[in-house]
Amino acid sequence: MIIAIALSGVAVVAVMAVAFTVGRVLGRYRDIDVFWPLGFVAVAVVGFFVSAGNESADSTQRLLLLVMVSLWGLRLAWHLAWRSRGAGEDPRYAQILRGAKGGSEIAYALRVIYGLQAALLIFISLPVTVGMNTGSPIIVLQIIGAFIWAVGFAFETIGDWQLSKFGADPANKSRVMDQGLWAWTRHPNYFGDALVWWGIFIVAASGGWALLTILSPLAMTRLLTSVSGKPLLEKRMASTREGFAEYVEKTSGFIPRPPKR
């Protein structure tokens, strides 16, 4: 297990090294968002092949985790790459880099952006690595986890598609997206992301030992709701989107519910 976790860490560092190189070539750090989900895919692929030598590992469990993580990661990476094509630096990273305060921007970015995200990626992906190496999974838990993952994947995919379609209309440039899933929650993509990782955790935990990694989906949910996801996005939207205050009053902040009248 320790070897599997160590190799996953090596895969994450390799992905982050590529992300840093791409960022330096393009002159922007926002592309790390594209490599973030690809890092999870790398962990799943490495875990799948490493666990093949573990006689006690369940083949169905391994394949299920590989498919779940890969579908989520590849779709999200493609979506983020397409959305950011031709764009400049993300305001979030521009703000983060102000913390360099005259020091080396590269060293600061390596530590605060790439290093921190690599550490978080390794920690959040622990259920995948551990789940790949456990046997005798409880089938009912696998089904429940896969269902939760599917609901989350649908929320994230549909939410992103609806937002892209809304943003493609120039008339909506400064308007708040309050239609479709966005009328039920201000962040259907973040809500879906959280469900995806709780689903992955439940599938992984169906083998037993991955129960010890429950802090990983909790950390992902915390990031989405209180740290780098929802708070930063809403702070920016409050100053750039018309009617955002009214939207906040009538729409759930995270868990979907019918909009208030």
Side-chain angles (χ1 to χ4, degrees), residues 150-238:
V151 173
F153 188 75
F155 256 88
E156 191 171 4
T157 302
I158 295 172
D160 284 339
W161 173 76
Q162 289 176 337
L163 184 61
S164 296
K165 187 177 179 180
F166 179 83
D169 186 347
N172 297 326
K173 184 176 181 180
S174 61
R175 293 178 56 201
V176 175
M177 170 53 162
D178 57 357
Q179 305 166 17
L181 294 179
W182 300 83
W184 288 64
T185 168
R186 301 199 296 273
H187 304 282
N189 48 354
Y190 291 162
F191 172 74
D193 210 349
L195 282 190
V196 161
W197 280 96
W198 279 106
I200 290 171
F201 166 74
I202 293 173
V203 169
S206 67
W209 283 107
L211 279 170
L212 299 176
T213 65
I214 191 171
L215 291 179
S216 296
L218 284 172
M220 176 63 98
T221 305
R222 173 73 173 172
L223 285 174
L224 293 169
T225 60
S226 307
V227 183
S228 61
K230 177 185 171 187
L232 293 180
L233 179 59
E234 293 199 346
K235 182 179 180 180
R236 186 167 75 248
M237 289 179 67

Side-chain angles (χ1 to χ4, degrees), residues 13 16-17 19-25 27-33 89-90 92-120:
V13 171
M16 287 297 155
F20 175 75
T21 302
V22 171
R24 295 302 301 167
V25 170
R28 62 183 195 182
Y29 293 105
R30 69 179 301 158
D31 292 289
I32 192 175
D33 291 346
E89 184 61 279
D90 189 307
R92 293 175 302 158
Y93 294 113
Q95 181 177 356
I96 290 173
L97 291 172
R98 294 192 189 103
K101 297 179 180 179
S104 172
E105 179 183 296
I106 295 178
Y108 189 77
L110 280 171
R111 184 174 72 254
V112 177
I113 298 178
Y114 295 91
L116 177 59
Q117 292 207 36
L120 286 171

